[in-house]
Amino acid sequence: MPLHRALPAVLIALALPACTAATAAPPAEARVATFNASLNRAADGELVADLSTPDDPQAREVAEVVQRVRPDVLLVNEFDHAPAAVDLFRDNYLERGQNGAEPIEYPYAFLAPSNTGVPSGFDLDNDGAVGGPNDALGFGAFPGQYGMLVLSRFPIDTTATRTFQRFLWKDLPGSRQPTDFYSPEEQAVLPLSSKSHWDVAVRIGDRTLHVLASHPTPPTFDGPEDRNGRRNADEIAFWRLYVQPGAAGDALYDDAGRRGGLGAGERFVILGDQNSDPLDGDSLAGAAEQILTAHRVLDPAPASDGAAEAANPGHRGDPRLDTADFSDPTPGNLRVDYVLPSAPLEVLRSGVFWPVAADPLARLNDASDHHATWVDLRLP
């Protein structure tokens, strides 16, 4: 659902200017970021309660990180699905300066339901009982836990925005679904997305940037069937198919019944906590490479000195590229958060907000176990 403070949602698309050769605008620039902010709570309603005052310590740290990074378009992973929480987060935290940081305003937001915590009615983990987080369509204690939120300084074109919450895992071309683990009845209801996949159409000047947002399941907490590792890899594979013209034919369908992937030549950025490191960790080999090497994808390789300082011995990947600080020694720090723009977008700068220990802002490193990852783009 679009959440806009000035125009009714139905007017957002109508107010957007048409792009013509005669009125072509100069290149536009935008900072695009992803941040798994860990704004999830243990019970339904707790996030709204915590954000209803400006005093929640963790939310204040998360807001300060956002104010320091100052993205124009931001995907927040692990923001429980609660429409009331969106305005509370903006009013009580983002629009109030935190510890000397300047307030930041996001007039536009996009929020849609998540599969997390939605009862499936089946014993999906085969433990002999039906119910609980492991038997939900996506792991979660209540519907919408660990959801997603897109905040934007620019208008969101709701008519061009698509969600894929109900796309079935079995319908993905080349699906890795363990069919010997899930019954045919379970396969008929189990979606691909553990949360959802969103194509949020953001209008920057007279251009559209497709913000391809997701948060695949962690590739752990399962058994020898590797159901979570397989699902993680296929959730990532969805975007590879989506951005390659004709790769999946009409196999992909959104929640409104529209079929097909992204149109040829569209500008996009794949972003989110993919829970997959190219070289380290527990994900399937090659899972992250599916988007790193996808059609027209550029890898700006955002990095930080803080990640290098916190490097784990024995890891194969460049520690400067790590974006998450997980428990040591296993899995340790990993690169799991990505902002991957498409050509012909021009990458100007990129980074990860991970201050070194000597930096006074290192006090914000515990806001989440992930670090905000950003890329500055020019839209030609």
Side-chain angles (χ1 to χ4, degrees), residues 30-34 71-74 204 209 211 269 271 339 373-377:
R31 174 166 290 186
V32 180
T34 185
D72 299 302
V73 181
L74 171 66
I204 302 176
L209 179 66
V211 175
V269 56
L271 76 170
V339 181
T373 304
W374 56 270
V375 175
D376 287 343
L377 299 172

Side-chain angles (χ1 to χ4, degrees), residues 94-139:
L94 294 175
E95 295 175 11
R96 296 175 184 238
Q98 307 291 340
N99 288 301
E102 289 295 320
I104 190 165
E105 295 186 5
Y106 292 103
Y108 304 91
F110 183 82
L111 187 73
S114 171
N115 285 320
T116 45
V118 177
S120 69
F122 291 96
D123 179 15
L124 293 181
D125 62 356
N126 290 348
D127 70 348
V130 175
N134 278 315
D135 288 336
L137 296 180
F139 181 88

Side-chain angles (χ1 to χ4, degrees), residues 172-176 216 229-244 268 270 274 276-278 283-297 338 340:
L172 183 76
S175 169
R176 300 174 175 90
R230 291 166 177 261
R231 191 178 190 181
N232 170 272
D234 277 357
E235 288 192 68
I236 296 171
F238 179 90
W239 288 134
R240 183 180 182 91
L241 293 172
Y242 189 71
V243 303
Q244 172 71 55
F268 64 84
I270 300 172
Q274 304 296 323
S276 182
D277 183 289
S283 60
L284 261 62
E289 280 80 357
Q290 294 175 113
I291 49 173
L292 289 169
T293 62
H295 178 67
R296 292 198 293 129
V297 161
Y338 298 86
L340 302 173

